[in-house]
Amino acid sequence: MGLPNPKLFILPLVLILLLHIGKGDVQLNYYSESCPRAEEIVQEEVQKLYQKHGNTAVSWVRNLFHDCMVESCDASLMLDSVNGTISEKTSVRSFGMRNFKYINTIKDALERECPMTVSCADIVALSARDAIVLLRGPYITMRTGRRDSRESHINEVEELIPNHNDTIPFVLSRFQSIGIDTESTVALLGAHSVGRVHCANLVHRLYPNTDPSIDPEYAEYLKGRCPNPNPNPKDIEYARNDRVTPMVLDNMYYKNLLSHKGLLLVDQGLVSDPSTAPFVELMASNNTYFHRRFADAVLLLSENNPLTGDKGEIRKDCRFINRE
């Protein structure tokens, strides 16, 4: 199978981005007058937290995906269950997510500098941007000015966020519904280059019979990590997404897929589907190209239907809607 020429995708992508600029009212340096150090404070807090808890970087990236895929990049994910609100964190799609409390650590630092000014939605976006850099991924110039939702979207979570064992056509349809094309979807799934997966999401590929698409030696490694066919979701039983560079956002993910070492069913499916396989090969062969496409895709995702203007609110505490 021949590889697509990267130059063929540059012009269409540029046109997409130019058209996308007009969506919503987010803009560069939105807080330049109201809170000049806002982005600097987020970066400082993200770095401090990463030095204490390295896994926070992966959490920041996953937060962006789970927040922006569901209706809007509006920090609805951050709401706790209280006063009739059912948190999106309680959804089965949020299984394994953690470190939510540190978003409020960043928020507290911003509140000390500029009370009721910087939204939790922008904190989610900017913390993901800075985490990607800490994971040795690309720097992404993000626009800000998002506002926070006054409601949870719990009823839409399972419909809008693809699952780890969904088919590639279904996954592509979910991303296409928010304007993200096939190439960008393949790039976004490259975030699986970092972090880990609980055995509960893996054992169906190992027991009672091993998925034939898994490299045999890799399957034995996974069985060593997940020896129980029925793991307790509360137990700390997991496998790294990438054994070679586990905390580096790089194209080793795609190289692993070509070697039949995809951790999740949806990962390995990228190789077998003819619409995604050429992009897997291209990104496996060129880390710079992967980083460029990943940056473009994250930017598109981060600007999905933001609340701006007089919509939503600026929460004082990211866990709760403001009192009237």
Side-chain angles (χ1 to χ4, degrees):
M1 180 184 296
L3 296 180
N5 185 340
K7 293 182 180 178
L8 296 178
F9 303 103
I10 294 175
L11 183 57
L13 187 58
V14 169
L15 292 174
I16 290 172
L17 291 173
L18 286 174
L19 290 172
H20 194 75
I21 289 173
K23 293 179 67 176
D25 296 315
V26 292
Q27 62 189 59
L28 294 176
N29 303 313
Y30 178 84
Y31 298 107
S32 60
E33 294 184 7
S34 60
C35 190
R37 292 193 63 246
E39 295 193 28
E40 182 182 349
I41 290 171
V42 173
Q43 183 181 61
E44 290 172 353
E45 293 298 318
V46 165
Q47 290 175 343
K48 285 192 293 185
L49 288 163
Y50 178 71
Q51 290 167 3
K52 292 181 180 179
H53 316 282
N55 57 28
T56 55
V58 179
S59 298
W60 306 140
V61 178
R62 193 175 177 190
N63 284 346
L64 182 74
F65 169 71
H66 278 253
D67 189 46
C68 292
M69 281 296 293
V70 183
E71 296 291 343
S72 169
C73 295
D74 58 8
S76 60
L77 173 66
M78 295 300 132
L79 290 171
D80 280 356
S81 294
V82 65
N83 296 332
T85 294
I86 301 176
S87 176
E88 294 173 29
K89 302 171 194 174
T90 65
S91 168
V92 294
R93 291 290 190 275
S94 299
F95 174 65
M97 295 186 72
R98 51 188 175 159
N99 296 321
F100 293 115
K101 62 184 178 182
Y102 296 126
I103 288 291
N104 242 47
T105 300
I106 301 172
K107 177 64 169 172
D108 289 344
L110 288 163
E111 286 296 301
R112 290 192 293 270
E113 179 87 6
C114 312
M116 299 296 292
T117 302
V118 181
S119 69
C120 300
D122 277 340
I123 295 172
V124 169
L126 293 173
S127 61
R129 179 193 70 180
D130 295 334
I132 288 167
V133 173
L134 291 173
L135 294 167
R136 292 164 59 181
Y139 179 82
I140 303 168
T141 301
M142 282 192 175
R143 288 174 274 270
T144 45
R146 302 165 188 79
R147 288 171 64 85
D148 301 325
S149 171
R150 292 185 53 81
E151 61 182 348
S152 166
H153 307 306
I154 182 64
N155 293 328
E156 287 77 44
V157 173
E158 290 186 37
E159 175 188 354
L160 297 175
I161 295 182
N163 204 6
H164 60 88
N165 56 359
D166 282 332
T167 66
I168 294 303
F170 180 81
V171 172
L172 293 176
S173 73
R174 293 297 85 204
F175 281 97
Q176 287 166 357
S177 72
I178 62 170
I180 294 178
D181 65 13
T182 299
E183 181 188 19
S184 295
T185 299
V186 175
L188 281 175
L189 286 174
H192 289 178
S193 172
V194 294
R196 62 189 188 180
V197 172
H198 196 282
C199 290
N201 288 339
L202 300 177
V203 290
H204 65 287
R205 301 190 70 200
L206 303 174
Y207 307 103
N209 300 307
T210 303
D211 183 338
S213 68
I214 304 178
D215 172 80
E217 290 186 7
Y218 187 56
E220 289 305 309
Y221 158 75
L222 292 178
K223 288 180 179 179
R225 296 295 305 176
C226 304
N228 183 358
N230 298 293
N232 185 337
K234 295 182 179 180
D235 289 343
I236 303 176
E237 297 182 359
Y238 64 87
R240 289 285 181 186
N241 283 345
D242 173 8
R243 297 167 64 193
V244 182
T245 54
M247 290 299 287
V248 179
L249 186 62
D250 60 10
N251 67 338
M252 185 57 67
Y253 167 75
Y254 304 100
K255 294 178 182 180
N256 286 336
L257 297 186
L258 295 176
S259 299
H260 300 282
K261 296 178 181 179
L263 193 58
L264 296 172
L265 194 62
V266 70
D267 296 325
Q268 200 58 53
L270 292 176
V271 176
S272 57
D273 191 287
S275 69
T276 54
F279 296 117
V280 172
E281 294 186 37
L282 183 57
M283 293 179 194
S285 68
N286 190 328
N287 191 57
T288 299
Y289 181 69
F290 159 57
H291 276 177
R292 287 173 180 167
R293 298 289 76 83
F294 181 78
D296 293 336
V298 168
L299 182 60
L300 286 170
L301 178 64
S302 74
E303 296 183 7
N304 177 38
N305 192 31
L307 300 179
T308 58
D310 58 359
K311 297 179 181 178
E313 65 181 15
I314 305 297
R315 290 185 212 139
K316 181 176 178 59
D317 185 318
C318 294
R319 299 170 297 173
F320 310 113
I321 297 166
N322 294 338
R323 294 181 179 178
E324 295 294 346

